[in-house]
Amino acid sequence: MEIRLQNLTKTFPCRDRKGGWRARRKSENQADVNTAGAEKSAGFENAGKAAQSAKAVQSAESVQSATAAQSVKSGQDVVAVNDFTFTIPDGKLIGLLGPSGCGKSTTLNLISGLLAPTSGRIFFGEDDVTELPPEHRGIGLVFQNYALYPHLTVRQNILFPLENRKGKDRLTKTQMLEMADEVARLVQIDTLMERKPGELSGGQQQRVAIARALVKQPRVLLLDEPLSNLDARLRLQTREEIRRIQRETGITTIFVTHDQDEAMSISDQIVVMKDGVVQQTGRPQEVYDSPANLFVAKFLGTPPINVFEGHVQGGVLYIGTDALPGMLEIISGESGQKANVTGNERQESQKTSAAEKRKVGAAGSADREVWVGIRPEGFLLQEDGPLCCDLSGVEVMGRDVSVLSQNKASVGRTVRSIISTDNKVDTSSATVRFALRPEKVFLFDKVTEERI
């Protein structure tokens, strides 16, 4: 199922401090009235349920107030998703990636129908589903907390969405059991069908949640940070399973995460977001190798990219007082090849012409202040290398060596360089010198932070 998002925007209204406080107070008072009325009319036996219902209303109001917390501070509406235009190809796994508050979960909720967009349209294939309720969109949802029914067995949890079908969509008991067994085998929990969620590990519970979403045979599978509650080793195993399941089923899948390792390892394409705006889209390796701006460069990569204050003078790139002769010409030529999308633009991967490369090169060689980003793997240990740093320490990590150093021009406190174990670092020396791999060096405008 191809998904098309056209100029999708979601704005949460502003609440000033005074108005927000009054709204919360009114909600609390109304909840008390509802509780008292329910207790009086329903009697002592149902009072507990009525109180829980009233508290749920109050909780919903609190969530809405929290959602608008940012607008309270700024006095402006919060634009959680801003003019999002993107096409998700049929049968692909797309990673929505970004820090907390960037709008990725809001985007997922818009696609699922849990939220209505302020403007824009959502298409599943040729069908406009913008106004369609969630239950009619043909989606499978897996949340961070799994939301399994603790009193039901694994089989009963998986069967639950099938048992609630009505009318012409209703299935026989035999059909439902066959579908549940089939999806259980797919996610490899067929031997756990009689257990209850409390008897399962975190990874097993996650598989049950995925099975329950898949048994409905959805057109689209939506995963909202499904691995956040798992330990590191289990996260690795489970994300591999998610990728395997997605490939075997061929379901168009959207995976929301703030963990760039997860997104890059299993996604066909990633969408990097910041403050509700799409910063860049593309294949994971392409985005990593050719970041559109400083934010994308800093967000992707473990260890993170090293950022330095630099400047271009007389056609030569400098990091602090260290000149990097010949580096600028190579970088300017490579930056002419863009294979991604920046901001709200959409464009296919393509190589720029020789004329465009000359134009980029001319712009990059103009005297200016710049940010210089160097990937940790972009350093080459060299006795007469042009970049000099103060040696802090060396960490041996088995297949690699991590050299820790400091440089006055570095934005971060520590410069981390990843080199091969074949290189021997003189730990008795106060300094260490590096040559640089041009393909791992990026220049960004000092003001706009866009890639030069």
Side-chain angles (χ1 to χ4, degrees), residues 62 70 167 169 197 236 258:
S62 299
Q70 183 178 350
D169 295 327
L236 179 62
H258 63 274

Side-chain angles (χ1 to χ4, degrees), residues 342-362:
T342 62
N344 293 319
E345 300 175 353
R346 292 187 300 132
Q347 59 185 22
E348 298 296 330
S349 300
Q350 59 180 1
K351 293 183 179 180
T352 56
S353 64
E356 289 173 319
K357 285 189 177 184
R358 287 195 295 271
K359 182 178 179 181
V360 172

Side-chain angles (χ1 to χ4, degrees), residues 428-449:
S428 64
S429 175
T431 61
V432 61
R433 303 191 73 92
F434 298 102
L436 302 176
R437 301 179 188 272
E439 71 276 11
K440 298 298 181 180
V441 180
F442 311 106
L443 298 187
F444 305 93
D445 185 89
K446 194 67 176 289
V447 178
T448 65
E449 298 188 351

